[in-house]
Amino acid sequence: MFEAILLKCIQSLRGERSISGIFHLIQGKRSSQTLQDAKIYNIDLFFATAPSIKKEQVEEAVVRMAAKGWVYINEEKIPVIREEGHQVLNNSTIETRHYLNGMTLHKHVNVFEKRLRLLIQTITRTNLKDFSFIPIEDDIETQRWVKYIYRNCSAEEMITNLHNELYTLLLAIDKLEAELFTARITGGRVTGRTKAQLASRYDLSKEDVDLYVRHTFYYLLQSTLNAPQSYKALFMCAEGLEGSNLITASAKQTHHLLTGGYTLEQICNRRRLKISTIQDHIVEAALVVPDFDISTFVSADHQAEIAQALNLVNSNKLRELYEAMEKRFDYFQLRLVKARLNYGDKEVGSYVSRTTS
Amino acid sequence: MSREQLHEDLKRYFGYSEFRQGQQEIIEDVLEAKDVLGILPTGSGKSLCFQLPALLQSGVTVVVSPLISLMVDQVRQLKVKGVKSVTALNSFMEVKERAAVLNSLPNYRLIYLSPEILQNSRVAAKLKELHVNLFVIDEAHCISQWGHEFRTDYLKLNEMIKELGDPPVLALSATATPEVQQDIKIQLNRPHMVPHIYKMDKPNMSFEVEYLEDPGEKIERIKTILSNQPAPTMIYFSSRSAAEKVAEELWLTMDQRVAFYHGGMENIDRLLVQQQFMNDELDVVCCTSAFGMGVDKPNIRRIIHYHFPGQIESFIQEIGRAGRDGKPCASLVLHTHRDHYLPQLLIEKELPKNEDAARVFHWFDRNERLLSDEEMLETLQLSDSQWNFIKFHLGKSGVITRNNIEIKENWKVIQAELLNRLQERWNYKNSKYKQMINWLFYDGCRRKMLYSPFQSEVRSPQAGCCDYCGSFMKDLHIPQKEVSRAQYSSWEARLRAIFLQEPSDG
């Protein structure tokens, strides 16, 4: 699964982004560059799907895949997919059917996972009359949440319901994933296995163990959200996790000031941040806020002009667009328009077709 | 307070009906506001000596502890026992979290601190507003240059205690030679501390050392020993990769449950290995010295050293994890000629070399102020402990105060002095290392020799003594016990077990 995700990224990035770019994406770096890449190249589903990955692991995997002939490294040291790679990718679940949805859900899955792990441990240990177990999750928020649920719900009922709901859902997926998932959970008299133990036992890479288990959590969360009535106990763990638009809190604050009528300079002064940082926030907002208006920064005419040029250049490299437009617009303006176009592409039909027709 | 009352409190707060050796005597003196020096062997429940008084006295108990993992562990275990008014402050906390704790400081009875964070002026100011009733120094050997783990920040504790209104002091250590004990009193300026010194030898443990020609033989020896009979075993390594490699090899070739543990693993996986081991779901843990803190497992039977540590003190601490239930246990050290350089390399990483010092002075020539510690490490290419060593000694000789470089002349003299200190420390570390090596090659009773720096005689062994006296790890008697070796035939079965959906004990 790890290699398939990398292949998918390499394919989508079309040799325009380095290994670092891929690493930042799957690791979930919240920089404007990474967020924009994710959207523009259409790989936002894989954003933050491997949060504990290290750069060396990505580099080693790329070398391995190059040795297998799936990719090659071009003269700019950027990986490019080969025909064999396409085939491998086409046969993988990443192309056929998967539940990863990092950009939208990674934070929610994270909370959901922690709650579920600790809830299972708590209700089953206390059922065995053990009130002094060491909690599997250190996170204070999660502990508070579990304590609240524990005080207000019947543990007996929750144990049966959670078991039945998980059983039903796990029955519908790959046996390997069901096995890895149950082996990783701690509850009753059973302690969860570590990543390394599962990797040895199933002859998988540690990255794959991690991804399969995380994928299962994505699957559980989405199935639950789609049918709350059928999975009441699981739905409790998803409580309060509605979608949030802006990713970083800092960008949110900038956006707030912007809608309050502050100018770019005023925001800079007020927040004591560099102008480039504020610009990053605005691009971030343009990517995700539905009715975000960028005409204060680029007029409607200019937007159309840039969109047209973008079509002709047919590359996602900003520099080429910048040159093609004879440097009449700055990078910030170009990025804004691109961000907006991309939003349009995905959610409300193409901005390009509307303006050029 | 009467003895009966003290026992009742012990039962009420911690659920124990008896004190372990030394605890009661120390607690009684602490409650009478005496300064106390407690030397208790590893695993004897040192922390109870301040935890119980903290709950019984009014005011706040401050505990200085050098290891963050240790602090976090103790806080976690106290919370599990229902003691909620406890917290730990360290420099790795997130700013928000730390601010929250700082603002609610008066609500706590027991506050764990790292020595570094005590130097933070905001933290110090907040502490001064409290009524500190007891000042505890855990791992007090860190205060002495002759302790095996000298920590420069420990020397500043002295002043801090004064600023907090001179509360009674309790200094605790598991490994302090008589000279270190003396030094602790001097450095703290408390010559009349009441000493409570307990013997650290383990009568239920036997010792064996084996020299092997070929490093490859180590694994074979370990396999032979383990195949005798499964029993909770720890194998110590000095490197993470070696621990992983050997764990994998044992796992593949033996019918035993093996895992590795080291500081480079994710938190949750570390916790899982600890719990598996505690619950007897594992037979063997291949680990670095990061494992063990807070692992109070009573029935560890074997401690094998695949690599030996650089000093006797660490060794005693590591073997101290075995046989806490009082039943027989055994230690085995395997070594080859290659291992004899390893500790030396570790010492090198820890202490600056002459050329490192020269680089620092060169930099001082061109700058007026120090950068942050992190930037200094980066700029001067030094390790944490190397920079600490230099900074401490230059601070002591007045070259730097706070972050200013004060003196720019007489470099030669100062430099020579620093190099002298460095040489002293080198010699000291090397002598510690030689002591360890000498023990490995000692031709006599290992038990007597091992404890000779700490106490004049050892108690007579309850089971085997040592290889010299004719006892070997393979002869260790392991009580036959039905170990639950639950195997789940399918994920469905495991899921049922997790959710207790089986008829009990299925």
Side-chain angles (χ1 to χ4, degrees), chain B residues 417-431:
Chain B
E417 200 184 318
L418 181 72
L419 292 182
N420 266 335
R421 292 281 99 69
L422 199 52
Q423 194 57 49
E424 265 176 34
R425 196 67 195 155
W426 260 105
N427 294 346
Y428 174 72
K429 284 272 167 184
N430 266 310
S431 72

Side-chain angles (χ1 to χ4, degrees), chain A residues 58-101:
Chain A
V58 179
E59 287 167 343
E60 284 160 20
V62 170
V63 170
R64 267 200 315 273
M65 293 197 296
K68 285 189 276 197
W70 298 355
V71 298
Y72 68 91
I73 316 285
N74 72 11
E75 57 282 1
E76 289 177 84
K77 301 227 164 96
I78 293 177
V80 182
I81 195 159
R82 284 179 189 275
E83 185 46 40
E84 289 86 339
H86 280 295
Q87 276 167 21
V88 173
L89 183 56
N90 287 338
N91 293 327
S92 82
T93 53
I94 291 302
E95 280 301 13
T96 51
R97 181 183 165 80
H98 72 85
Y99 292 88
L100 297 173
N101 188 356

